[in-house]
Amino acid sequence: MAHIVGAEKGGPRGGGPETAEERRAFDNLVLMCATHGRDVDSPETGEKFFPIEKMRALKAAHETKVSEAVMAAVEEELTGVRTATGLLDISLRPSNAASTAAGLAESMMFTDDSSRKSLLAALEEARSCLERLSQPALDMLAQFLAVWLVTSRDDKTRKYDFGDPGDASVRLPIATVENRVKHGMDQTFGETTQELTTHGLLSLDIDEYDQDYVVKDPWNLMMENFWVCTASFLYEAFGVEVQDWLRTLDFTIFDRLAPADSGVPWR
């Protein structure tokens, strides 16, 4: 068990004004494995690699997955109908809409009202699309993005090279996806990737040189790639990885400006 805001004021993420009671509250606790539990509470890695926003995103994503799994198991037990594949899942994913997109707009250097309004409209279009995915499809999309981040990371600096949002795209070689994502789950993989393709979020790009899965961006984010822009903003500003954010669908984070001491490259 780990604390999101540190249990002690002198510990990792412990510098806030929260009272001792608030620090012990359930909302401030997150279940971690032994390995990551040590990393989270370590003076060397705790606050650097597991800031408060990332911890909250991890907690929300885990609670959503567990809740969905329990509900699917109960329904299967009562009805005898397997619903975990998402084929019968037509409910909307829980989500929160952005209201200003001020933080993301700053990271993209959008200073005029017209650009900000267009950005906010594009974010709402993205939210509307993503919340209509079944939970298994949303999880599959998160796995694709997680693999993208792994392949974009410099192991020495632990920093990501997201690429230029004006011309970069999220491309993953088919062999990489089959090794890291598809292995051992052929039926679920086929169902969820078909759903993502139907929603315009995934495609296969095969030519004589490359065979790639492409995570698509069907929204007009001011001629910038949605995944590259949001992944860069989330990580640089708050230390949150895009696949963890995706499982929460909390678009209000794009309203928030990066902390003054975050050292983001757009300031």
Side-chain angles (χ1 to χ4, degrees):
M1 188 70 68
H3 292 78
I4 296 175
V5 175
E8 305 292 338
K9 286 188 176 293
R13 302 174 304 281
E18 289 80 5
T19 65
E21 184 177 353
E22 289 171 331
R23 292 166 190 260
R24 292 193 298 267
F26 176 79
D27 287 347
N28 193 49
L29 301 177
V30 59
L31 186 63
M32 308 288 289
C33 68
T35 299
H36 286 103
R38 288 191 294 270
D39 292 341
V40 161
D41 289 333
S42 166
E44 289 76 28
T45 60
E47 194 151 5
K48 182 177 181 181
F49 296 121
F50 297 92
I52 288 175
E53 293 299 332
K54 180 170 185 175
M55 294 288 287
R56 286 176 175 158
L58 288 172
K59 178 181 174 72
H62 181 64
E63 288 179 343
T64 296
K65 289 184 70 175
V66 171
S67 177
E68 292 283 345
V70 170
M71 290 175 63
V74 170
E75 185 170 352
E76 182 176 344
E77 181 68 21
L78 292 174
T79 65
V81 178
R82 183 168 179 255
T83 62
T85 62
L87 292 178
L88 303 179
D89 184 359
I90 59 174
S91 60
L92 297 181
R93 302 301 103 210
S95 66
N96 296 301
S99 59
T100 65
L104 184 60
E106 182 193 34
S107 73
M108 297 175 69
M109 308 296 184
F110 293 164
T111 57
D112 61 285
D113 289 342
S114 176
S115 294
R116 292 191 177 202
K117 288 180 180 178
S118 296
L119 177 61
L120 189 60
L123 287 177
E124 181 58 21
E125 186 179 351
R127 186 182 72 88
S128 178
C129 174
L130 293 171
E131 71 177 0
R132 284 169 169 74
L133 293 176
S134 69
Q135 190 64 46
L138 194 68
D139 287 340
M140 182 59 67
L141 181 57
Q143 289 188 60
F144 271 85
L145 293 173
V147 172
W148 170 54
L149 257 63
V150 167
T151 58
S152 303
R153 183 172 60 193
D154 185 313
D155 290 335
K156 291 183 178 180
T157 64
R158 298 190 70 173
K159 291 185 177 294
Y160 296 109
D161 180 9
F162 298 106
D164 182 351
D167 58 18
S169 59
V170 180
R171 304 180 70 91
L172 296 169
I174 289 178
T176 300
V177 172
E178 290 184 343
N179 287 334
R180 293 176 178 263
V181 180
K182 184 179 179 180
H183 182 69
M185 51 183 298
D186 288 0
Q187 179 179 348
T188 301
F189 182 86
E191 293 167 353
T192 53
T193 53
Q194 180 57 51
E195 183 179 346
L196 293 173
T197 301
T198 300
H199 282 81
L201 292 166
L202 189 69
S203 69
L204 270 174
D205 186 1
I206 299 177
D207 58 30
E208 59 181 309
Y209 302 108
D210 300 300
Q211 298 183 20
D212 297 330
Y213 281 100
V214 183
V215 179
K216 305 289 286 184
D217 170 16
W219 316 290
N220 178 21
L221 202 65
M222 307 295 291
M223 305 302 291
E224 306 278 300
N225 184 278
F226 173 84
W227 300 112
V228 174
C229 290
T230 55
S232 175
F233 169 75
L234 291 165
Y235 187 74
E236 297 287 356
F238 302 112
V240 174
E241 294 181 347
V242 65
Q243 73 273 12
D244 295 326
W245 164 81
L246 180 66
R247 292 189 173 102
T248 72
L249 293 183
D250 184 7
F251 280 74
T252 64
I253 196 170
F254 299 123
D255 296 337
R256 302 170 56 188
L257 298 176
D261 61 352
S262 59
V264 292
W266 53 83
R267 287 185 185 155

